[in-house]
Amino acid sequence: SENTQVDLTRKVSIEFDSNTQRLAWSFKPLENHLEVHPGELTQVVYEIRNNLNPRVIGQAVPSYGPSNAAEHFKKLECFCFQQQTFEAGETRRMPVTFLIDPALPASVNTITLSYTFFEVAGTQPTVAAGKGS
């Protein structure tokens, strides 16, 4: 039941930001900024590269500015929904499909979506055999 009306009378500016927490990964959105109508299905693609030799598992965690925009930012598809495994030197482009709920307060004209990729602890294959597993 799609009850999302596209609000053509209004545009919201979405800014995309990315960073990594102690990870030797390149991580960036292919577009830094989009103008969207609330209710309009939109996709943005992030490019991620593992610059290290071992394979690494990471998890992206989103944050929003202003924080009250979070509940109005509806992600239908996102690489942040699950852990991502990157082989050595692997580059991948991964989409985020979202829409802005038309109930977004009128005072919010710009939303910043920021992702931080963290390495998932214990995923480095450097632990000595027989320890930890």
Side-chain angles (χ1 to χ4, degrees):
S1 56
E2 281 299 314
N3 61 349
T4 30
Q5 299 302 121
V6 177
D7 183 355
L8 296 173
T9 67
R10 187 173 174 204
K11 276 198 165 172
V12 180
S13 179
I14 314 291
E15 294 173 351
F16 302 99
D17 187 30
S18 58
N19 46 80
T20 58
Q21 192 70 31
R22 296 186 300 281
L23 265 184
W25 286 11
S26 309
F27 175 42
K28 65 178 191 295
L30 298 188
E31 295 171 274
N32 294 316
H33 170 264
L34 286 175
E35 300 269 323
V36 304
H37 295 293
E40 177 181 40
L41 201 58
T42 306
Q43 185 176 80
V44 65
V45 175
Y46 277 77
E47 186 173 274
I48 302 145
R49 176 179 167 84
N50 176 9
N51 296 319
L52 278 185
N53 216 359
R55 73 196 266 265
V56 178
I57 301 174
Q59 174 80 50
V61 177
S63 59
Y64 305 88
S67 55
N68 69 329
E71 63 190 281
H72 301 288
F73 203 106
K74 311 287 187 194
K75 292 191 296 292
L76 286 76
E77 178 189 4
C78 182
F79 53 82
C80 60
F81 290 164
Q82 62 268 318
Q83 296 177 357
Q84 300 293 337
T85 301
F86 278 76
E87 300 302 327
E90 181 181 357
T91 300
R92 207 181 310 155
R93 289 185 171 185
M94 297 198 288
V96 182
T97 305
F98 67 92
L99 59 83
I100 303 303
D101 188 326
L104 179 75
S107 58
V108 179
N109 299 310
T110 302
I111 299 174
T112 302
L113 170 62
S114 182
Y115 283 105
T116 302
F117 244 112
F118 296 87
E119 183 176 331
V120 177
T123 58
Q124 290 287 13
T126 50
V127 181
K131 259 178 42 192
S133 54

